[in-house]
Amino acid sequence: MSYDPSPSYPHRPPPPPQQRPPYPSHAPAPSPHGARPRRPAEPFPSPFAAPASRQAPRRAALGHHSDLRVLRSAYRWQRRTATLTALGYFTLFLLLSAYAPGLMSGSLVGGVPTGLMFALAQLPVTWLAIALYEHTARRRVDPLADRIRKEAELDARRRAAR
């Protein structure tokens, strides 16, 4: 079996097994309440586990990988930014319509009411939110997703080669 020498998968030999005595060297002190004292839990070796000398070095499982947490947070940031851009402008438009009717009924250019201009500006703001979403996807989310996808493919090929 060969190992990939690339920096993304450095080979580390498994640690040497630790020798433990079969029984504790001292008895725990009795409990003042008469109950048996708690012993620390010791892991039992699995009868199906391969000996430590034949096991391949383990990597963190992909489902618990820190890259997935980073990807989720980048995607969450992307969604929040785009959503707050579009919904924030729309909420501003609604609040101005409800609480500042004098401003919204005033004229700007050529007798066009300010409220109509704010309403017509909703479409470019939505386009801006979409452009912002695509920009953050290309800049932050897609490179992380591509790297995780490549690592998953490499892991699958390694498992198939075993």
Side-chain angles (χ1 to χ4, degrees):
M1 180 197 277
S2 64
Y3 295 101
D4 183 13
S6 69
S8 66
Y9 190 72
H11 169 66
R12 291 186 189 96
Q18 296 179 351
Q19 299 293 330
R20 293 185 182 189
Y23 300 104
S25 60
H26 66 282
S31 170
H33 303 291
R36 294 199 311 184
R38 289 182 70 150
R39 288 183 35 198
E42 295 181 18
F44 292 101
S46 170
F48 304 109
S53 62
R54 291 189 337 191
Q55 286 182 344
R58 293 194 171 242
R59 293 179 56 198
L62 190 60
H64 301 289
H65 204 272
S66 64
D67 285 344
L68 289 178
R69 285 193 296 271
V70 172
L71 179 65
R72 279 193 302 266
S73 67
Y75 183 60
R76 194 177 306 125
W77 175 256
Q78 175 193 24
R79 285 187 324 227
R80 285 180 186 159
T81 304
T83 303
L84 289 177
T85 301
L87 289 180
Y89 182 82
F90 185 69
T91 304
L92 175 70
F93 174 69
L94 289 178
L95 289 174
L96 286 175
S97 297
Y99 296 109
L103 173 70
M104 297 300 272
S105 62
S107 295
L108 271 182
V109 179
V112 178
T114 310
L116 182 61
M117 294 301 284
F118 275 120
L120 292 175
Q122 181 68 39
L123 188 62
V125 169
T126 304
W127 288 337
L128 175 71
I130 292 169
L132 188 63
Y133 187 85
E134 289 178 357
H135 174 72
T136 56
R138 270 188 247 111
R139 187 169 159 231
R140 294 186 179 169
V141 178
D142 289 347
L144 288 172
D146 289 339
R147 185 167 45 125
I148 291 172
R149 189 177 301 115
K150 287 176 185 174
E151 286 180 9
E153 289 171 359
L154 185 62
D155 285 344
R157 275 189 259 132
R158 284 189 184 126
R159 272 187 253 124
R162 286 186 196 175

